[in-house]
Amino acid sequence: MSEKEILETHLQELRRGTVVLACLRLLVEPGYGYGLLEELDRRGFATDANTLYPLLRRLEKQGYLTSEWNTDEARPRKFYRASSAGTALAATLMTDFRAIADAIAALPEEK
């Protein structure tokens, strides 16, 4: 495995948990999968569809998202929104994320 591939693997692991938090925060307003993919990418959370759609289904099954179909357009779209449990989870994750970021920032840097 090349050094670039190893770095990419570590970066992917670092970002994995943040995508859940980003989705819950973004889905305070209703959004559909493809639009959410674009919004995540625009905000620096590059994610592919093979990661996002199973994540949305899992969060919905766990009760953190609700969904409804919009059939007003030619192509039906499933819109997701954070439930009250999802909003509470996002707040908890945000608190922990900030604590972890602060703890990492307090570590000594390489000299």
Side-chain angles (χ1 to χ4, degrees):
M1 189 178 263
S2 74
E3 197 166 320
K4 183 180 178 183
E5 290 170 322
I6 292 170
L7 174 61
E8 189 56 40
T9 298
H10 286 294
L11 290 173
Q12 184 179 21
E13 288 176 16
L14 184 62
R15 292 183 191 125
R16 186 170 284 135
T18 61
V19 172
V20 170
L21 178 54
C23 286
L24 290 171
R25 300 265 317 244
L26 288 171
L27 290 173
V28 171
E29 298 295 323
Y32 62 98
Y34 185 75
L36 185 58
L37 269 175
E38 290 180 329
E39 187 66 16
L40 287 166
D41 189 50
R42 190 177 73 73
R43 292 176 179 257
F45 295 91
T47 307
D48 65 30
N50 292 330
T51 299
L52 181 64
Y53 289 107
L55 171 69
L56 293 173
R57 287 190 295 273
R58 181 170 46 101
L59 290 173
E60 182 180 21
K61 185 176 181 181
Q62 293 170 341
Y64 297 119
L65 296 178
T66 60
S67 68
E68 62 184 48
W69 285 96
N70 179 341
T71 56
D72 294 343
E73 300 175 24
R75 192 166 181 226
R77 290 183 176 162
K78 189 175 189 178
F79 279 78
Y80 294 92
R81 179 192 290 259
S83 66
S84 58
T87 302
L89 176 62
T92 300
L93 292 175
M94 225 20 244
T95 299
D96 281 8
F97 180 82
R98 286 186 179 118
I100 291 167
D102 290 345
I104 290 172
L107 294 172
E109 292 188 33
E110 183 180 338
K111 294 181 181 185

